Amino acid sequence: MPLLAIDATCLPQYDKLDRPTRERLLSVTRKFRELPLESLLSHPDLRISSLPAGQDPRIRTFRINDAWTGVMLAPESGETFLLVHLLPREAAEDWARDQRHDVNGVMGTLERRDATALQRANEDGSPAPATVPSSAHAPGTPVAPSGSHPAPAAGADAPASGASAPLDHVSDRDLTRLGVDAEVREFCRTLDSAAQLHAWAAALPQDQYEVLRALAEGHSVQRVRDEVVVPRRPAVGTVSPRDYDTAIRNTRERVVVVNDDQETRDTLAGEFNAWRIYLHPQQRELAYHPRFGGPAKVTGGPGTGKTVVALHRVKHLAEHLPLDGRVLLTSFTNALVESLRRNLALLLPPELLEDVAVVTTDKLALDTVREHHPEVRLRTDTRGVFANAVRHHQLPWPADLLFSEYRNVITAQGITTLEDYLAPETRRGRSVPLDEGQRREVWHAISEARTMMRNSQALPAEELHTEAARILEQRRERPFTNVVVDEAQDLHPAQWRTLRAAVLPGPNDLFISGDNRQRIYGNTVSFRQLGIGVVGRSYPLRVNYRTTEEILTWAEGIMRGQTVTELGETVPEPPGVARCVLRGPQPELYGAPDEPAELDALADRVRGWLAEGMEPGDVCVTARTNRLRDSVAAHLRARSLPAAIFNPREHAVTEATHAVRVTTMHGVKGLEFRAVAVSGVTATALPQMDAVTSPELDERQHRSDLDTQRALLYVACTRAREQLYVSWHGEPSPFLPPVPDGPVSGAAAEHGAVAAR
């Protein structure tokens, strides 16, 4: 029976299609599953044609409508058709003519390359970086050289002084063992720099490029084999070079096989219904692992599928609950929880959803405390209470020190007695020294503030969790059989104590996902000290399925020089080979002389995205502060653009919105959009020094606060799936990564920033 598979390349282009064109495409793809090859190729409505001058005899183009053409791979043998790409009619044949598909003999995957460009490069002996005409470019999709041999981009192929060719240290024998074929090996030997290799990524076979990039970054042959090659191999046996059916099924990072209209529609929609619940092999192994001996942890950068794994873990746990069992799925904000709740409903039937509580960690604590104290409410303003305590006790320190001691020492370590607070190790690393007498003064002032808050029945989150953990620990039966935590990096130790107390220790008790690169609330945690042992049950995810390589590579520059610690530990995160599945345009950077000019340019960029066919709900604009957020939203509306303020504590991201979302950088945490504009990235906004502890008060907290704001910019930029626009006025933030020479835009010229517009 014929089968249809869909390449990830199609997803961003599908978003450009209007509803009638989408319905027409669905009708066409149905025929791929229903008709044998001969009938399909002769079908009068599809106008399927081969490319006489093409590099790959298996490639066919077919008519979707007068404006759009599909490109498919029709194997000479077998039954699986692969939908390769969706392109405007005038660009489709030019793109398809240069492509060739081959089975990788080592990894057993199907790879696509720009065979024309590679052939020319090998003939010339001096490759130039791959480029693509803007008229043929599809954001978020692989791009490739086309037409005449392009000139090198400025600085792209010139090696640094004293630099050697990036792959000279790897023998042809080792390249062959890693799945690099003869054509690509020949091409590699002409490269002068790693930058040149990166520029050619779109033209190279996808899996082979990942091998080459990892080697060029200095990883050992053995490590590349273990982390890049072995995970791609089929579970059993090998794949013949002519077995395209098996190779398509084995290309699990980029291809999904669909069985009916609904799966086809969901997959092409590129939303949660398919790719965001589709599990790749390592993800599936973690999500459906029958039994972890205790808490398990999954980590990975943006777009690596941590949330997908967490959701499937909930599905697995819900399907295997004992009688009266219950699962908790929790995260940091209301917006994240609403997204989890909506997406979980796509995985679980109603009868299983009843056994899963999806709430924020703070809501869990509040509900727990209210069972005993119904009048308790959450306090959002705490610093004023400590300012009163400082005045009442006539302390010589600012209220910030008292609040910091309360949050980062006492509640973070779970200290309940003066004797514990006086212990020598309690304040290790704090900048302001306090002798025993001074600690006693601080303790009494904090105790008074806590008593006042308890008497008022308005408790801050730290206090709620302290009380909730105490209540839960006294219970013989805990409220949950299993707890699954998403976006774990931002939870305070007090919140972790509540979660630890909500489930009895044992197999499958805690499943944790997070990424310390995205820690934006300055909470540091030691799982060991909290009784959460993940040794031997910690698993990194290395493949980004959401964000284009261009966006992620640029955003990684924001974190340059930063030591990222392991989630729940104080040791540096172990290095690994990370890779992206999608390619797309470079981020656009724009510097303006003043705020009105920046807002005008921002409105033009948003209007351009909408004119390109993006739905307003696919676009998000972020700003550092509420004031800037409100200014942006008002300016967009004044320019007749649909814009609405998004508050993560009040609103959920739904697909019914018809407005561009405008929110703060904190508000965009955990979400994703086709296009993101990060505005107001100025030297005074990032870092925003009034939110940074002074080094005189606490040097360690000062550094942590700066790292937190750097991570905030990183998080905002990595919410973009396909297109990223970053702007500022006046002096840009020092967190922005340095960029190579190139065309400049506005005030960006003064700061060496590249504008891809």
Side-chain angles (χ1 to χ4, degrees), residues 290-302:
R291 183 182 186 274
F292 289 109
K297 179 180 70 174
V298 173
T299 59

Side-chain angles (χ1 to χ4, degrees), residues 401-732:
L401 182 136
L402 218 63
F403 178 75
S404 181
E405 289 289 303
Y406 166 74
R407 190 176 194 278
N408 300 320
V409 178
I410 294 173
T411 57
Q413 298 181 41
I415 294 172
T416 58
T417 66
L418 173 60
E419 288 70 26
D420 287 342
Y421 182 59
L422 294 177
E425 297 298 314
T426 297
R427 299 188 73 254
R428 178 179 292 276
R430 308 293 289 178
S431 294
V432 176
L434 297 175
D435 61 28
E436 181 176 322
Q438 291 170 326
R439 288 200 205 187
R440 289 179 183 274
E441 289 185 87
V442 168
W443 176 266
H444 291 312
I446 290 175
S447 297
E448 179 183 284
R450 297 178 81 174
T451 299
M452 190 282 293
M453 290 187 291
R454 285 175 175 266
N455 288 339
S456 71
Q457 301 288 303
L459 301 182
E462 296 86 356
E463 208 69 31
L464 275 175
H465 284 280
T466 298
E467 182 65 13
R470 185 190 67 78
I471 292 171
L472 292 171
E473 286 168 355
Q474 291 177 346
R475 295 181 180 176
R476 182 177 179 183
E477 299 292 332
R478 304 299 167 89
F480 298 102
T481 316
N482 317 93
V483 172
V484 177
V485 187
D486 190 38
E487 298 288 342
Q489 70 277 355
D490 279 318
L491 295 180
H492 185 272
Q495 294 171 309
W496 280 110
R497 291 191 187 90
T498 298
L499 296 177
R500 175 64 281 179
V503 58
L504 287 171
N508 295 334
D509 53 351
L510 286 164
F511 190 85
I512 301 162
S513 71
D515 174 24
N516 268 358
R517 295 175 190 79
Q518 302 180 64
R519 186 172 62 198
I520 61 175
Y521 289 97
N523 295 318
T524 56
V525 171
S526 168
F527 284 162
R528 180 181 58 82
Q529 293 178 1
L530 292 166
I532 300 173
V534 294
V535 176
R537 294 184 296 274
S538 182
Y539 308 95
L541 299 175
R542 303 294 192 194
V543 184
N544 184 307
Y545 300 99
R546 179 189 72 205
T547 307
T548 66
E549 181 171 334
E550 288 75 9
I551 291 174
L552 191 63
T553 299
W554 182 85
E556 290 291 346
I558 297 170
M559 305 298 290
R560 64 193 183 281
Q562 303 301 299
T563 299
V564 178
T565 56
E566 180 73 6
L567 180 66
E569 308 294 337
T570 58
V571 298
E573 183 182 58
V577 181
R579 56 190 185 273
C580 293
V581 172
L582 297 176
R583 299 295 309 276
Q586 292 289 341
E588 301 180 40
L589 308 183
Y590 183 82
D594 52 38
E595 185 174 347
E598 181 188 359
L599 293 176
D600 284 343
L602 173 64
D604 290 342
R605 177 63 278 185
V606 171
R607 192 181 306 280
W609 281 331
L610 300 183
E612 291 168 11
M614 288 194 190
E615 294 295 327
D618 291 332
V619 177
C620 180
V621 181
T622 73
R624 176 66 182 90
T625 66
N626 289 335
R627 183 195 71 80
L628 290 173
R629 176 202 65 187
D630 295 346
S631 178
V632 166
H635 192 84
L636 294 180
R637 288 193 290 262
R639 296 284 297 271
S640 301
L641 291 166
I645 290 175
F646 173 77
N647 186 330
R649 293 189 177 274
E650 300 174 3
H651 307 137
V653 176
T654 66
E655 297 179 6
T657 184
H658 298 292
V660 172
R661 294 182 181 89
V662 184
T663 186
T664 63
M665 293 182 182
H666 284 92
V668 80
K669 171 184 169 64
L671 307 177
E672 62 181 70
F673 302 89
R674 287 185 63 192
V676 171
V678 183
S679 64
V681 188
T682 67
T684 56
L686 285 159
Q688 186 178 344
M689 295 308 295
D690 60 1
V692 175
T693 304
S694 85
E696 291 77 19
L697 184 64
D698 191 329
E699 175 63 35
R700 185 173 67 174
Q701 192 61 42
H702 173 77
R703 293 194 301 268
S704 175
D705 291 346
L706 288 176
D707 291 345
T708 294
Q709 296 208 33
R710 184 186 294 272
L712 183 62
L713 178 60
Y714 176 79
V715 167
C717 292
T718 54
R719 301 308 92 198
R721 299 205 311 260
E722 300 172 24
Q723 297 200 44
L724 172 65
Y725 175 87
V726 180
S727 67
W728 65 89
H729 57 273
E731 185 72 17

Side-chain angles (χ1 to χ4, degrees), residues 270-327:
E271 294 299 333
F272 185 87
N273 302 17
W275 290 88
R276 287 163 61 197
I277 61 170
Y278 177 78
L279 289 174
H280 299 279
Q282 183 191 12
Q283 296 172 338
R284 178 166 292 279
E285 182 179 347
L286 294 172
Y288 291 96
H289 191 73
R291 183 182 186 274
F292 289 109
K297 179 180 70 174
V298 173
T299 59
T304 53
K306 301 180 297 298
T307 298
V308 178
V309 173
L311 287 163
H312 276 271
R313 187 64 184 168
V314 172
K315 179 176 185 289
H316 171 76
L317 294 170
E319 291 172 341
H320 295 84
L321 276 175
L323 289 176
D324 299 323
R326 192 157 173 77
V327 179

Side-chain angles (χ1 to χ4, degrees), residues 315 318-319 343-356:
K315 179 176 185 289
E319 291 172 341
N343 293 336
L344 189 64
L346 297 170
L347 278 177
L348 292 181
E351 59 271 21
L352 289 183
L353 279 174
E354 294 178 359
D355 295 328
V356 181

